Amino acid sequence: MPPKEKVESTEQVLQAVILADSFDKRFQPITLETARCLLPLCNVPLICYTFEFLAVAGVQEIYVFCCAHSDKVKAFVNEYRKSSSMKIHTIVSQECMSVGDAMRELDAKQLIDTDFILVQGDVVSNMKLDKVLEEHRARRQADKSAIMTMVLKKASPQHRSRALGDGSLFVLDQSSKECLHYQPVKAFNRSRQDRRMTMNMEIFDKHPEVQVRNDLIDCQVDICSVEVPALFTENFDYQDIRADFVHGILTSDLLGKTIHFHEVSDVYAARVRSAQMYDAISKDIISRWTFPMVPDSNLQAGDCYEYRRGLVYKEKSVVLSRTCVVEEKVVIGANTQIAEKSVLSNCVIGKNCVIGANVKIDNAYIWDNVRIMDNCVVQHSIIANNAILEQGVTINKGCLISFNVRVGANTAVPAYSRLTALAGDDEDDDDGAELVSDVTMVGASGRGRIFKEPESSDDEDDEADPRNKQVNRLAFDLKALKVEALVLDESASEFESEVSDVEDEVNPAEELDREIAQTLERAFKEGHSIDIAALELNTLRMASNSTFHEMRKRIIPGVLKNIDLTAKAGSGKMVKEVLTRWGPLIGKMIHDEKDQLDGLFILQRACASLYPDSAQAQKVFAPTLRYFYDQDITEDDAILEWYRSEQSQQGTDVEKRLREVATPMIEFLEQSDSDDEDDEEDEDSE
């Protein structure tokens, strides 16, 4: 037993263990050449987000457990800790094949002597752990059998940060915060038995009221006691932290241990557990849901991103042609060059990349040192470091193009293809082997071949439904499952019941109408701040994959409905009062001149629809239009373009009358423009 003085000193040190290896093969062939935790997420290695999350939590000492590509992980950690105040150690074990093996190795080394935080190396979160640590410690003081506290995040079934093929079912006691039963849930199952939950009914003897929850995201952030690694050692059949350990503890009559939970809802927490989640979390980072972990926070030493309008982030050394178009939600790394007439949208471009002329990149992730020549198209795919796309190449959606692959000119890579420049399908098979390129996939001048996943590489149960893997692919279309289901040996009714778990049968437009109406009603009733209301609405937009136009079409009338033309001053229902309080929320949905014009058309239709009486409609439309202008929600050019357009002159009689009501304001704006031009001419003549 160590001396008492040592125990007292280490009890004050908050420790964490990061499992850098995911022990699955979902990102192959890319992870045949680098560690999963080092994959760039918005141009920052994944593990940097985990380090930052733990630093905010007050962690002082971290043990990084690495297996695959341990040399690269160690090199990165050695460089990272030079600028970190935390003590970071690496533990290497090449023989580990699962989380259970890692925990047993951790127990054997006896490095942990107090409660610690256990996380995966692909966690992205901005939550603070002060409260959950306090709850766990207090619970441990009162009950030594409470060995773990899981942090669970509440999220709607359609939330973008939920993994489509992986879910969890929890049975919880809200009064004691105890987890009573856990069961992994897959979107698709082979048998009816797999679709049922089996639970010990004796649970209700001690817990008369329980909740059965499947609306929780489990990003596997756990507060563990020192007993947890020892329990893995005592039970060699424990491999997975949830399906084996948690399920085993909760169903064991002999161990006498309990597992608790802490539920959060107003923070961001997710794991990059698949290509689908890589895509979702990248979009969340760009959209600033992970703040302060956003590109312009420059988490990585040497980064220097600037945040610009339209959710565009770029470093200062980027070279952009005057005729290239950078649309919204784009990240561009240092020393990247983009030639003329290229269009970038919803994408991440790494450092030192060269993008040729007339290139279209949409929803794609281009890593460092990639060269894309003229007239290429890249759709919703990942292109790893040092890849080259020659002229006229088309990369269809869902592709993973690994390191050093070269795709020859005018080649179209089929959707969901995985290309590698390695000769073997295993990281150990490439030594001394010679690559034989697949001309049908990479072209005559290309370098690379199709990667075929070995049949024995299923990281889940060998008998698991293959569709669970398919829905975790990048850009996978759920509608394709309906066609593939025809070849499966199961009834149509079984298939339809399973699809309903992933794809909602409700009309998406009607569902969005209902969700936005409820969100606005709640904001009005509870007096939410504009930032909170905008956050909830943007969450709905991303979860439903809706455009800002769809949001404006519902939010502008939703705000105007709150106006009561008969209300008295001070009621909060007068036109001016409603606009002053909730007008900025509309402004949050308008970003550029195109949005401004769209917002004006929606305002015109909304006022005419809500108030069929022309006089009443004018009482709302005129001050709202003026408010939009005064608050810079719409600029004068957009208002003039709206007024002069044919669309504003069409529609119902009330809509046409509302346009006439705007005439005095239009004359004012035109006069202002004329005066500005005269002033400029006078200055030029002088």
Side-chain angles (χ1 to χ4, degrees), residues 164 188 471 476-482 495 499 502-503:
L164 291 179
F188 302 97
V471 296
F476 188 77
D477 187 358
L478 289 174
K479 295 178 181 178
L481 291 173
K482 295 181 178 179
F495 173 71
V499 169
V502 186
E503 190 175 24

Side-chain angles (χ1 to χ4, degrees), residues 46-238:
L46 260 175
I47 199 169
C48 282
Y49 293 95
T50 309
F51 281 147
E52 189 69 17
F53 161 55
L54 294 175
V56 171
V59 171
Q60 298 157 285
E61 187 172 30
I62 298 176
Y63 291 95
V64 181
F65 195 99
C66 45
C67 181
H69 306 288
S70 56
D71 53 338
K72 295 182 180 180
V73 177
K74 286 179 65 177
F76 179 83
V77 170
N78 289 338
E79 189 65 27
Y80 182 88
R81 61 185 168 200
K82 293 178 182 178
S83 58
S84 174
S85 60
M86 301 181 292
K87 294 181 180 179
I88 307 177
H89 316 280
T90 53
I91 305 173
V92 178
S93 178
Q94 302 288 354
E95 292 77 26
C96 287
M97 302 297 292
S98 67
V99 174
D101 291 342
M103 297 301 288
R104 283 183 279 273
E105 185 72 17
L106 186 67
D107 181 52
K109 293 184 179 297
Q110 293 292 300
L111 297 172
I112 305 295
D113 49 19
T114 185
D115 292 350
F116 65 98
I117 302 170
L118 177 65
V119 297
Q120 301 286 331
D122 54 11
V123 170
V124 178
S125 177
N126 58 7
M127 66 178 167
K128 297 181 179 180
L129 297 177
D130 308 44
K131 189 174 180 180
V132 61
L133 285 167
E134 182 182 345
E135 288 180 2
H136 176 82
R137 288 164 178 163
R139 193 179 292 121
R140 286 281 294 166
Q141 287 288 333
D143 182 8
K144 294 298 183 184
S145 66
I147 60 171
M148 177 190 283
T149 301
M150 302 181 294
V151 181
L152 307 174
K153 181 183 182 300
K154 183 178 180 180
S156 64
Q158 294 181 333
H159 198 279
R160 185 164 65 188
S161 62
R162 293 178 70 101
L164 291 179
D166 301 307
S168 300
L169 188 68
F170 294 93
V171 179
L172 308 174
D173 186 331
Q174 283 290 348
S175 60
S176 63
K177 299 297 179 183
E178 186 176 344
C179 180
L180 308 174
H181 180 79
Y182 167 82
Q183 186 169 316
V185 177
K186 298 297 180 183
F188 302 97
N189 297 284
R190 286 288 190 183
S191 66
R192 292 184 180 274
Q193 183 63 33
D194 293 334
R195 294 193 287 270
R196 295 173 180 170
M197 182 185 77
T198 304
M199 187 177 71
N200 186 355
M201 300 305 291
E202 292 181 1
I203 288 175
F204 293 100
D205 294 339
K206 295 182 180 179
H207 307 275
E209 293 185 8
V210 301
Q211 292 183 350
V212 180
R213 304 280 296 274
N214 72 338
D215 63 337
L216 299 171
I217 295 177
D218 179 14
C219 54
Q220 296 191 359
V221 175
D222 302 321
I223 315 300
C224 303
S225 72
V226 292
E227 297 175 62
V228 171
L231 285 167
F232 274 93
T233 301
E234 295 172 8
N235 299 271
F236 272 88
D237 57 335
Y238 287 172

Side-chain angles (χ1 to χ4, degrees), residues 586-604:
I586 298 175
K588 294 281 187 180
M589 302 294 143
I590 294 177
H591 304 96
D592 54 28
E593 188 170 342
K594 183 179 178 181
D595 291 351
Q596 295 173 24
L597 187 61
D598 181 60
L600 291 171
F601 287 125
I602 293 172
L603 174 64
Q604 182 183 16

Side-chain angles (χ1 to χ4, degrees), residues 590-651:
I590 294 177
H591 304 96
D592 54 28
E593 188 170 342
K594 183 179 178 181
D595 291 351
Q596 295 173 24
L597 187 61
D598 181 60
L600 291 171
F601 287 125
I602 293 172
L603 174 64
Q604 182 183 16
R605 290 194 300 270
C607 289
S609 175
L610 293 172
Y611 303 97
D613 180 75
S614 177
Q616 290 185 328
Q618 294 173 40
K619 291 179 182 179
V620 175
F621 177 78
T624 305
L625 181 63
R626 185 71 193 189
Y627 175 85
F628 278 16
Y629 175 72
D630 290 341
Q631 300 300 317
D632 294 327
I633 293 176
T634 54
E635 299 174 357
D636 49 359
D637 288 343
I639 296 175
L640 291 171
E641 184 177 352
W642 162 78
Y643 185 82
R644 294 164 181 166
S645 70
E646 292 185 6
Q647 185 177 343
S648 67
Q649 303 173 42
Q650 299 171 354

Side-chain angles (χ1 to χ4, degrees), residues 271-283:
R271 276 190 60 204
V272 185
R273 59 174 78 224
S274 65
Q276 174 246 328
M277 289 301 298
Y278 179 94
D279 181 38
I281 296 174
S282 295
K283 286 179 168 54

Side-chain angles (χ1 to χ4, degrees), residues 414-431:
Y416 309 116
S417 298
R418 298 190 179 200
L419 302 183
T420 179
L422 296 178
D425 287 334
D426 189 276
E427 57 190 290
D428 299 324
D429 291 346
D430 199 53
D431 297 338

Side-chain angles (χ1 to χ4, degrees), residues 215-494:
D215 63 337
L216 299 171
I217 295 177
D218 179 14
C219 54
Q220 296 191 359
V221 175
D222 302 321
I223 315 300
C224 303
S225 72
V226 292
E227 297 175 62
V228 171
L231 285 167
F232 274 93
T233 301
E234 295 172 8
N235 299 271
F236 272 88
D237 57 335
Y238 287 172
Q239 301 299 329
D240 184 82
I241 189 72
R242 291 290 186 264
D244 296 328
F245 178 77
V246 171
H247 185 266
I249 294 296
L250 297 180
T251 55
S252 173
D253 296 328
L254 301 176
L255 295 175
K257 306 298 182 182
T258 58
I259 295 177
H260 293 74
F261 71 95
H262 178 85
E263 184 179 335
V264 296
S265 59
D266 56 349
V267 297
Y268 189 89
R271 276 190 60 204
V272 185
R273 59 174 78 224
S274 65
Q276 174 246 328
M277 289 301 298
Y278 179 94
D279 181 38
I281 296 174
S282 295
K283 286 179 168 54
D284 288 342
I285 292 173
I286 295 172
S287 299
R288 307 183 75 80
W289 298 116
T290 60
F291 187 86
M293 295 184 192
V294 290
D296 54 305
S297 292
N298 298 309
L299 301 181
Q300 188 175 210
D303 285 353
C304 189
Y305 285 97
E306 294 180 341
Y307 173 48
R308 300 193 172 190
R309 186 166 183 166
L311 299 173
V312 172
Y313 309 82
K314 76 178 192 69
E315 297 203 68
K316 294 182 178 179
S317 53
V318 171
V319 179
L320 300 177
S321 167
R322 291 184 62 184
T323 57
C324 74
V325 178
V326 179
E327 298 183 354
E328 62 178 19
K329 300 180 182 178
V330 176
V331 179
I332 308 176
N335 303 316
T336 286
Q337 303 175 33
I338 301 174
E340 58 273 7
K341 297 184 180 179
S342 289
V343 180
L344 278 60
S345 61
N346 297 288
C347 61
V348 178
I349 310 295
K351 300 180 180 181
N352 305 308
C353 294
V354 177
I355 310 297
N358 199 32
V359 171
K360 295 182 180 180
I361 301 176
D362 180 48
N363 271 303
Y365 303 93
I366 314 298
W367 295 357
D368 296 345
N369 305 305
V370 172
R371 186 179 178 190
I372 302 178
M373 300 184 188
D374 299 349
N375 303 311
C376 290
V377 177
V378 183
Q379 301 175 347
H380 220 153
S381 296
I382 295 176
I383 314 292
N385 297 28
N386 303 307
I388 297 176
L389 307 184
E390 297 183 3
Q391 291 188 358
V393 167
T394 298
I395 306 294
N396 288 292
K397 68 177 182 178
C399 292
L400 298 186
I401 311 298
S402 193
F403 300 89
N404 303 305
V405 170
R406 184 185 188 107
V407 182
N410 303 313
T411 302
V413 179
Y416 309 116
S417 298
R418 298 190 179 200
L419 302 183
T420 179
L422 296 178
D425 287 334
D426 189 276
E427 57 190 290
D428 299 324
D429 291 346
D430 199 53
D431 297 338
E434 183 178 350
L435 171 67
V436 179
S437 294
D438 185 348
V439 177
T440 61
M441 294 299 297
V442 299
S445 60
R447 181 178 184 273
R449 63 178 181 83
I450 192 75
F451 172 77
K452 294 182 180 179
E453 188 175 359
E455 293 181 3
S456 60
S457 69
D458 196 342
D459 51 86
E460 307 290 344
D461 186 354
D462 289 337
E463 297 182 357
D465 194 307
R467 289 175 294 177
N468 291 311
K469 279 190 172 184
Q470 294 170 4
V471 296
N472 276 304
R473 292 176 183 172
L474 180 66
F476 188 77
D477 187 358
L478 289 174
K479 295 178 181 178
L481 291 173
K482 295 181 178 179
V483 177
E484 295 175 12
L486 296 176
V487 300
L488 295 176
D489 185 21
E490 58 182 358
S491 69
S493 60
E494 288 178 328

